[in-house]
Amino acid sequence: MGSLPPPYLDFSSANQGNEHHHQEISKDNLLAFFKSQQDLLNHFFKHLDLSQTLDFSRILLSTSGTVFFTGVGKSAFVANKICQTLISLSFRSSFLSPLDALHGDIGALSSSDVLVLFSKSGYTEELLRLVPCAKARGAFLVSLTSVPGNPLAGVCDMNVHLPLQRELCPFNLAPVTSTAIQMVFGDTIAVALMAARNLTKEEYGANHPAGRIGKSLIFKVKDVMKKKEELPVCKEGDLVMDQLVELTSKGCGCLFACG
């Protein structure tokens, strides 16, 4: 994780003496950024412990309670997104704010629940303070971290190591690779659980009644068609002026004429 950035990621010399200096983004440099990120993600895939991942997947699949996710900062956004994905797949899941948990929300946890804690470093103070309170509720705790030997992994019931070579950030600080790894890991687990549950397309569609997904999977013609009494209808002998009211009031943009 402490490796130096490649030359195209090192901005330090360009920024010396000119805080607001801007460089042009060339096509080659942009391509190099994506290639570097790809290499960093490949490092994750190559070194991920599948036995840990399998155990984690089976725990989520077999839990009789709710799978809670938590995190701080960027990891919290990832945790919330994975939670929402599982909910859309008909799994009982919820996001637990570590701050709110210590001010009453910890009451949502029970001994049948799993609490998944996202943290790149495993040194996040808010999560470390949450652990004893969550354990007191009897929940099963799983940490997802990227720094070996971190304290959070040591106090949870289970840890899954998410291998991280370094951040794409030239300073190795901004979490732009670690969060991508967390997201890829969580979404892939979600799809594995979806397959294990044999979720059907109809069941998935039922959870998405709005938007393009709902329209393509569950909506039928009868759900959107206008009924007979809602149609603007006129006869040959009707006055045109009278039918203007009929036309505008039904909001169809057309008038059906019958003999």
Side-chain angles (χ1 to χ4, degrees), residues 12 45 57 67 86 114 137 189 224:
S12 56
F45 290 121
S57 303
V67 179
L86 287 180
V114 175
R137 302 289 301 179
I189 294 298
V224 295

Side-chain angles (χ1 to χ4, degrees), residues 117-128:
L117 303 93
F118 278 94
S119 174
K120 170 189 170 182
S121 69
Y123 286 84
T124 311
E125 293 182 5
E126 294 88 343
L127 298 184
L128 290 171

Side-chain angles (χ1 to χ4, degrees), residues 1-2 46 62 71 73 77 82 85 108 110 117 120 137 167 233:
M1 290 180 60
K46 182 177 179 180
S62 63
F77 289 105
I82 303 304
T85 297
S110 71
L117 303 93
K120 170 189 170 182
R137 302 289 301 179
E167 300 285 0
V233 179

Side-chain angles (χ1 to χ4, degrees), residues 68-176:
F68 286 89
F69 290 86
T70 190
V72 174
K74 308 301 186 296
S75 293
F77 289 105
V78 176
N80 201 355
K81 191 274 177 189
I82 303 304
C83 163
Q84 295 300 320
T85 297
L86 287 180
I87 291 173
S88 74
L89 300 177
S90 297
F91 285 85
R92 280 186 292 175
S93 185
S94 182
F95 177 77
L96 182 66
S97 163
L99 176 62
D100 293 336
L102 298 179
H103 290 272
D105 285 4
I106 194 73
L109 282 178
S110 71
S111 58
S112 61
D113 299 329
V114 175
L115 176 61
V116 181
L117 303 93
F118 278 94
S119 174
K120 170 189 170 182
S121 69
Y123 286 84
T124 311
E125 293 182 5
E126 294 88 343
L127 298 184
L128 290 171
R129 289 198 296 267
L130 175 61
V131 166
C133 303
K135 281 193 169 183
R137 302 289 301 179
F140 187 87
L141 274 57
V142 183
S143 59
L144 305 180
T145 60
S146 294
V147 175
N150 67 81
L152 185 61
V155 295
C156 288
D157 299 299
M158 177 184 180
N159 174 257
V160 179
H161 178 67
L162 305 183
L164 175 66
Q165 186 176 9
R166 59 164 286 117
E167 300 285 0
L168 181 66
C169 165
F171 312 121
N172 197 23
L173 294 175
V176 292

Side-chain angles (χ1 to χ4, degrees), residues 209-229:
R212 184 175 180 181
I213 294 178
K215 290 178 181 177
S216 64
L217 293 179
I218 64 175
F219 272 84
K220 297 179 174 59
V221 172
K222 66 178 182 180
D223 296 320
V224 295
M225 66 180 287
K226 284 187 174 291
K227 307 302 187 291
K228 182 178 179 180
E229 61 275 8

